Each structure stands twice: as C-alpha cells, then as structure tokens.
Amino acid sequence: MKTNLSSQITLTRIPPKYYRPENAYEHSVLTRLEKIPTDIYESVIEGSKAIAQELANGIRKKQEAGEQFVLALPGGRSPLTLFRELIRMHKEEQLSFRHVTVFVEYEFYPLTSITAGNVNRLKSEFLDHIDILPENIYAPDGMMPKEAIFDFCRQYENKISEAGGIDYMLMGVGHTSNIMFNAPGTPISTRTRLVYLEGAARKEASRTFPSIESVPSSVITMGISNMMHAKHVILMAWGEDKADIIRKTVEEKISDVVPSSYLQNHPDARVVIDLGAAYDLTRISYPWLVTSAEWDNKLIRRAIVWLCQQTGKPILKLTNKDYGEHGLAELLAIYGSAYNVNIKIFNDIQHTITGWPGGKPNADDSNRPERATPYPKKVIIFSPHPDDDVISMGGTFRRLCDQHHDVYVAYQTSGNIAVGDEEVIRYCEYLRDVAGNYSPNDTTIKEKAEELIHYLRYEKIDDGEPERKDVLFMKGTIRREEARHGARHAGVKDDDHIRFLDLPFYETGLVKKKPISKADVEIIVDLLHEIKPDQMFVAGDLADPHGTHKVCLDAILAAIDLIKDEEWMKNCRVWMYRGAWAEWEMDHIEMAVPISPEELRLKRNSILKHQSQMESAPFLGDDERLFWQRAEDRNRATAELYKQLGLASYEAIEAFVQYKRK
C-alpha cells in the first residue's frame, strides 16, 4: 500500500534540472542568488537519508581515530525522519554511537514533569534507540532551581569547549526565522541562556504541547554564537509552510530580523530542504532567471503572471518589449509574438472560471473545468478537520448543494485536541444544569459533568501524557456537533450525508499522531465503495504546520490507488482545495469558483458555527487572524489577482486543482 502519495503533487510540477544545477554557469548564478549552499531533495525522506549518511561518515571517521563526534541536536518535528534513518543505520548497518557526544540545544523551563520536556522527547524519538552512553548526553535541566540557571549556562559552555567544540549542529527553523529559540532581533553574540517565551516563539513552542497555555514560560537555549562556532551546521526544513522563511534565509540580506540569515557568514553551513520548502526560491519559482526553462502550460502561465506583476499590466497589454526586458524573449521565439502568448494564457485562465463546480447541465463543457454529465452528481467533500470544508471551500460547498447535487461531507478526524479545556468546562456546566433540571432523580450525567469540571479546573497537569478519554470524548463531541451544524448551514439537508470517519491515526490524545495505517485507508475505501462518487473534493493543503492534512490526503490517495481500476472510479474526478494555510498559485489553478458578497457572508456564518475554533483555539498557528478572516482575505486576494490579470472582477474566488492519477 502506497502511503506517501501526496508527495507526487509537488514532484510532478518541478523538473529536476531546476533544483540541481547542470553546469558551471548555472552553479555560478545560484551562488549569486543563494548565499548559503542549498541542497534540494524530492522528499523529506531523501533529504534525511543524505544528512544521515553524512553524519554516519563523520561518526565512523572519528571512531577510527579514537575521538568523540560532538553533535548538537534540536527538538521539534524537523529531525524526526532523520532520527528514524539513523536508528535504522544503527540496527541494520551497525552504526555505533558509543563515540558520540550529544549536546541538546534547548529545554523548556520550568517543567512540572520531566516527561513534558524536549530532552524526554529526544530520548523517546532517538536516543533511547541507539547505543549512545548516557554519560555522553548533555542537556539543560528544565526542573533545576531558577537561581542555578546562570551557573548552569556557564558550565554548559565550558563542557562544549572541553569536548572540543561542536562538530555538527543540526537545526530546524521556525516560521519567524527563530533558530533554536533565538527570536528575531537576537544579537549574533548570544550564548546559552534563559529566554522568556512570548508571541511567535510561544506559538512555535505550542506545536509540541497540548495547548499554548501548557507551554512553559521560558526556555534554556543555545545562542547564535554557539551556532556560528560549530564546525559544520545543517539547517533542515520540510514542507511548503517553510518556503517563505527559507527564501529569506538563503536569498535575502543578513539581518537580525531573520536570525537564520546569519548562516550566510558561517564557513561551513548548508541548508537541506525538500521541494515544498524550496518552492519560493528563485530557481524553483522563476527558473527562467537561472537556466533555460522547459516550457509547459503551467510554467508559461507562471511566467506571464510574474511578468504582469513586474510591469503592472494586464495580460492582454503585455508587449514584445516587456517580454524581452524581463528575460522571457524565449517565449516570443516559441509563439512568434507577445500577442499570441497573451491570447493563449488569457484564454487558459479564463476557462478556469465557472459558477458550476459540479458541471453545468445541458451545456457545452469543452472549455469548462468540470463535465456537464452526469447530472446531478454524487459528490464527497473530504475534510481533514471538522471545519476545513467550510473554511476552504464553503462557497463551493453551498453552490454544489444549491445546484442540486447529491453532496456528502466526510470529516476524517475528530479534531478533539484542538478544543480548549475551557470549552469543555462550559459545555459540562450546561450539561450539569440541564441534567439537574430535567433528570433530578438520575444524577449519573450531573455527577460526570461535575467530575470533569473539577478535574479540568483544579486537577489537570500538562505533563505530556495523553488526554483522558472522557475529556477527549467531550472535545470530540463538541467538534462533531459544530461540524454537523456548519454542514447543514452550507446546504446539506440529510444527516446521513454527514459522515464522521474518526481515522485511527489521529486518536492518540496528543499532538503527536500515529503513522497512517491500513485501518485508516480501509475506512475511506469502504466509504467510497458505499457512495461511488462522481466527484470528490480533498484537502491538498500540504502547508498545514501540524501535518494532519498531509496524512489525511495520503490516506485518500492510498484508497484511490487501491480502487483505481474499478469502472466508476475511472470516471470520478478528484479536486484538491486549499485555503486554511495557503492558496493555490495561479499557474496551478484549474477551477476557479466565483463567490458573491452574499455567498461570502454565508460562508463566514458557516465557519462561525465552529465556536470552539475562535480566539481560544489551541492551534491557530502564526497567523493572528481567525480562520474566517484568513479564508476571506485569501479568497479576495485570488479574485483581485484575476482582476489584475485583466479578467472579470469578482468579490472572491475559491480555487481548485485536479488530481490526476498516474
């Protein structure tokens, strides 16, 4: 069973020549553009294997010389695939870590329990699975007395020096460019110290805690100077949500506003990324500025959109001179004139626009993104979390219902951990009062509600352990009923058409989820066999920082792969939506559904049915806007881009890309 099919979405759109220079000229152009050597791999797995092999070579070389290999390790999600590869090499290739000394780069402070900290996570994910000697692991103690921290930091620096310095420092990078927990504005001279967590840094830390409220107030972290004095530094970044900060790190000028950019002055630093994280680099987004391009419709459309933005002109006003002055004369040679290119791309983009996302019945569909028949269609909207459907495609959802298609919505996960404790308290107080009023003689429900209220208000400790099952049930129920209400508001009239799949990979009670399994895929296969849809909408938003969207997409694509030869499946179209974290780029949009001002208001109301996901939601991410605000801003921005290109002016647009099975 294939379970990583979502990576193909990125792979199919970027030829290898764009991320691996083929000659000295291209290499020299990249050196001017990219101020840190950058290696791009097709996937996190390939990138992690390359890093692991480099580390293994260094470890073995030191071992042969009878010396210690000194390694600095980060926490977070970035190194997890690398850790798994190193564990595999230890077990299958006899890579020994007995001559490795580890310095942990940071630890949260104060910790109420050792199980909640970064060091414990590193042990459970990596260190406990290899033969490293316990006495060779150095780390801050998140439970030490506060008055001991200053002396500890000084001693930690001394231990690094006594070990001969750091041979390799591995690092991730935060969305605001924080390195370890050195936030924007951190001076280059900083060393190990206690840092107060606030703002973006606190949100970054919340990715590994149950909620932002459970994040400790501070962190003991190495400084920028530690990074600059390491002999080798490898910065890892995976996924589209890191693309913007990687561009700033690698291509823009050094600035303390972007601490990761200090690596431009490191004598032996390297950035290792996958295609998703590389997507905003010039050689990926604008390859014609680096090398001779392999022109296809998508790349031509991207180039024309870029040219319109550079010149401030709509498509049909671009001239031969515009093309020549911006490095696109090659297109003139292919098409003969600016007019020919302009007309082609204008028509291509115009044909993406449709007010009939399920296909317009009894109409010529030769230039429409969706087929006219069958009508009405059976449609399944897959939603990773219980609110992604209305956030990302709420207008299209309503349009499909209004146009009388047989619409089902399938919520793939319960979304239970994204409900704050205060929401459970509020609902339990309601439940207690209702039970007391209508069932005064049966105290079972009332007593359970009071038990949960007391536990959440006075007893609960965020110690890194899974949430209690009864609390998870309440949180899941809150989200389930919000989703049901939101789907009804979008136009679903039959409750049987609202399905809750509760995929097992999600149900851990922790931020960390289980890997995708056969059970997850079989649940989706069973649903597809039951409904046999003509059209599916799935979340292709791989920029989701928590990874749930990617796992949910992998589960769907794995299910499709299993049944792709069935006759009904051959006729089923799969459309991918985005919008919660990022929007599709113009060169990939294949269906654009205009949303009127009234429809946008109704979409907002559907999103607002998810009250638990408003200001108090644990996982709002780095964007300060609420989900309905993000959705409206992105939908309006897409409509504005269409307008700037010279097409019709709409209030908002929801965009989709068709998934084409191989």
Side-chain angles (χ1 to χ4, degrees):
M1 179 179 66
K2 299 177 183 178
T3 57
N4 194 32
L5 295 178
S6 63
S7 62
Q8 296 175 7
I9 295 168
T10 299
L11 297 186
T12 56
R13 63 191 190 188
I14 304 173
K17 67 175 289 183
Y18 295 159
Y19 53 91
R20 298 205 180 114
E22 296 181 330
N23 54 55
Y25 171 74
E26 292 175 5
H27 190 273
S28 67
V29 172
L30 281 182
T31 302
R32 292 195 300 273
L33 285 171
E34 299 175 1
K35 301 173 180 67
I36 307 172
T38 301
D39 296 337
I40 303 173
Y41 292 88
E42 291 184 349
S43 68
V44 58
I45 294 173
E46 289 193 17
S48 296
K49 284 183 176 180
I51 298 171
Q53 189 59 58
E54 183 174 343
L55 294 176
N57 293 341
I59 291 169
R60 289 181 173 124
K61 185 176 180 180
K62 285 275 190 175
Q63 186 176 359
E64 290 172 2
E67 299 174 356
Q68 288 293 110
F69 182 86
V70 183
L71 180 64
L73 291 180
R77 299 188 307 275
S78 294
L80 294 181
T81 307
L82 168 62
F83 290 162
R84 287 193 285 269
E85 177 62 13
L86 288 171
I87 292 168
R88 185 200 65 78
M89 295 177 80
H90 167 64
K91 293 180 177 179
E92 298 180 11
E93 300 178 13
Q94 291 73 53
L95 175 63
S96 175
F97 291 82
R98 296 182 68 83
H99 285 78
V100 174
T101 298
V102 161
F103 285 90
V104 177
E105 294 171 5
Y106 61 83
E107 179 58 284
F108 299 100
Y109 183 89
L111 295 176
T112 56
S113 167
I114 193 170
T115 60
N118 180 46
V119 175
N120 183 68
R121 291 190 184 95
L122 283 173
K123 288 181 178 179
S124 64
E125 296 285 357
F126 179 45
L127 299 174
D128 287 348
H129 304 278
I130 56 176
D131 62 344
I132 189 170
L133 301 176
E135 59 267 28
N136 288 341
I137 300 173
Y138 296 92
D141 179 3
M143 302 179 73
M144 74 175 85
K146 193 167 186 177
E147 57 270 19
I149 293 177
F150 180 81
D151 284 340
F152 166 81
C153 292
R154 181 170 49 82
Q155 293 167 10
Y156 205 56
E157 294 289 335
N158 290 338
K159 287 177 182 176
I160 293 173
S161 297
E162 291 168 4
I166 296 169
D167 291 309
Y168 269 82
M169 177 174 266
L170 305 178
M171 295 189 306
V173 59
H175 295 82
T176 59
S177 185
N178 49 295
I179 291 291
M180 296 166 282
F181 277 91
N182 297 280
T186 301
I188 197 171
S189 59
T190 51
R191 288 189 172 273
T192 306
R193 69 210 185 281
L194 182 69
V195 172
Y196 180 69
L197 289 175
E198 58 182 345
R202 189 168 184 79
K203 288 182 179 179
E204 199 78 38
S206 71
R207 301 180 194 282
T208 51
F209 285 88
S211 68
I212 195 166
E213 289 79 14
S214 62
V215 177
S217 62
S218 306
V219 64
I220 301 169
T221 180
M222 290 186 186
I224 302 295
S225 181
N226 298 96
M227 175 184 77
M228 298 304 291
H229 282 86
K231 295 166 189 172
H232 307 274
V233 176
I234 296 178
L235 185 148
M236 300 171 284
W238 320 112
E240 294 180 21
D241 60 311
K242 296 296 179 71
D244 181 60
I245 200 59
I246 287 298
R247 177 187 58 79
K248 292 176 180 176
T249 298
V250 172
E251 292 191 351
E252 293 189 357
K253 293 180 180 179
I254 296 174
S255 168
D256 63 359
V257 177
V258 183
S260 51
S261 67
Y262 286 130
L263 286 174
Q264 294 179 23
N265 279 340
H266 193 285
D268 198 340
R270 197 164 83 261
V271 172
V272 180
I273 52 181
D274 64 356
L275 285 174
Y279 201 65
D280 283 353
L281 293 178
T282 299
R283 62 165 134 162
I284 302 299
S285 283
Y286 314 111
W288 58 87
L289 299 176
V290 178
T291 183
S292 58
E294 296 178 7
W295 295 106
D296 58 17
N297 284 340
K298 287 184 177 181
L299 189 58
I300 294 171
R301 195 193 293 186
R302 171 173 283 262
I304 302 313
V305 171
W306 173 81
L307 184 56
C308 289
Q309 292 170 334
Q310 294 295 308
T311 61
K313 295 180 178 181
I315 294 173
L316 295 179
K317 288 189 177 182
L318 295 173
T319 66
N320 287 359
K321 183 180 179 183
D322 294 326
Y323 281 82
E325 290 180 347
H326 292 84
L328 292 172
E330 194 174 0
L331 289 178
L332 300 180
I334 296 172
Y335 287 94
S337 71
Y339 176 82
N340 292 337
V341 188
N342 296 347
I343 286 293
K344 171 181 168 45
I345 298 304
F346 182 87
N347 287 337
D348 284 350
I349 296 177
Q350 188 175 51
H351 291 157
T352 65
I353 302 171
T354 180
W356 296 81
K360 186 174 183 179
N362 304 315
D364 178 7
D365 60 9
S366 56
N367 286 317
R368 294 178 180 272
E370 184 52 86
R371 304 150 296 168
T373 57
Y375 178 83
K377 289 181 173 65
K378 283 189 175 181
V379 180
I380 299 180
I381 298 172
F382 282 98
S383 181
H385 299 99
D387 55 356
D388 287 310
D389 54 337
V390 291
I391 290 172
S392 299
M393 54 169 293
T396 303
F397 190 164
R398 175 174 289 276
R399 191 77 63 83
L400 289 165
C401 293
D402 288 347
Q403 292 170 355
H404 309 297
H405 295 286
D406 190 15
V407 180
Y408 291 75
V409 58
Y411 298 103
Q412 292 175 265
T413 70
S414 67
N416 50 26
I417 66 163
V419 177
D421 291 344
E422 67 281 358
E423 290 289 326
V424 179
I425 293 170
R426 182 161 67 94
Y427 277 90
C428 283
E429 288 173 339
Y430 170 82
L431 186 63
R432 175 197 61 193
D433 295 345
V434 169
N437 187 68
Y438 290 102
S439 301
N441 298 323
D442 184 352
T443 61
T444 305
I445 293 177
K446 182 179 179 182
E447 288 174 357
K448 184 62 182 180
E450 289 176 338
E451 176 198 337
L452 289 173
I453 293 167
H454 188 272
Y455 165 71
L456 292 172
R457 290 187 66 187
Y458 305 113
E459 297 177 1
K460 182 177 178 180
I461 298 174
D462 291 317
D463 56 2
E465 293 300 309
E467 183 64 270
R468 276 174 43 165
K469 290 188 181 299
D470 50 2
V471 175
L472 285 177
F473 170 79
M474 289 299 298
K475 291 184 175 184
T477 301
I478 289 169
R479 296 218 67 184
R480 181 178 289 229
E481 296 314 313
E482 289 175 341
R484 204 188 306 273
H485 199 29
R488 288 173 185 155
H489 189 268
V492 177
K493 293 181 172 55
D494 188 344
D495 278 2
D496 179 61
H497 283 44
I498 303 172
R499 304 296 183 90
F500 298 93
L501 305 186
D502 293 333
L503 296 184
F505 84 88
Y506 188 89
E507 299 303 320
T508 63
L510 296 167
V511 175
K512 181 183 176 183
K513 307 305 178 192
K514 292 181 287 189
I516 186 176
S517 70
K518 184 179 179 181
D520 299 299
V521 178
E522 286 178 344
I523 289 171
I524 295 172
V525 168
D526 289 345
L527 179 68
L528 294 178
H529 276 148
E530 176 193 348
I531 297 172
K532 293 184 170 61
D534 305 296
Q535 188 183 48
M536 283 190 270
F537 290 86
V538 304
D541 202 343
L542 304 186
D544 164 30
H546 305 288
T548 301
H549 283 218
K550 182 181 184 303
V551 179
C552 286
L553 180 59
D554 278 338
I556 293 170
L557 299 187
I560 290 173
D561 196 57
L562 290 174
I563 60 176
K564 62 186 177 185
D565 294 328
E566 297 183 23
E567 201 59 38
W568 66 269
M569 188 66 230
K570 293 178 183 178
N571 296 316
C572 178
R573 284 198 182 173
V574 180
W575 292 98
M576 297 185 295
Y577 62 80
R578 300 178 87 179
W581 307 100
E583 186 55 277
W584 292 114
E585 303 90 342
M586 176 61 76
D587 51 306
H588 294 110
I589 295 174
E590 294 173 283
M591 180 162 67
V593 181
I595 307 298
S596 71
E598 176 64 14
E599 288 172 321
L600 196 62
R601 184 185 65 80
L602 291 170
K603 172 177 176 172
R604 180 194 302 179
N605 290 341
S606 293
I607 297 171
L608 290 174
K609 303 301 180 186
H610 297 266
Q611 284 296 303
S612 70
Q613 301 305 293
M614 296 298 109
E615 286 91 344
S616 62
F619 302 116
L620 285 172
D622 301 306
D623 195 327
E624 295 290 340
R625 297 168 298 171
L626 298 179
F627 285 124
W628 70 265
Q629 294 170 314
R630 303 182 205 187
E632 289 189 10
D633 288 348
R634 289 198 170 99
N635 294 160
R636 286 191 172 111
T638 303
E640 180 62 24
L641 180 54
Y642 269 79
K643 177 184 174 183
Q644 290 172 0
L645 295 176
L647 291 109
S649 177
Y650 298 101
E651 177 71 13
I653 286 177
E654 291 176 341
F656 302 87
V657 171
Q658 186 180 355
Y659 172 71
K660 298 179 177 66
R661 297 179 292 279
K662 290 187 174 181

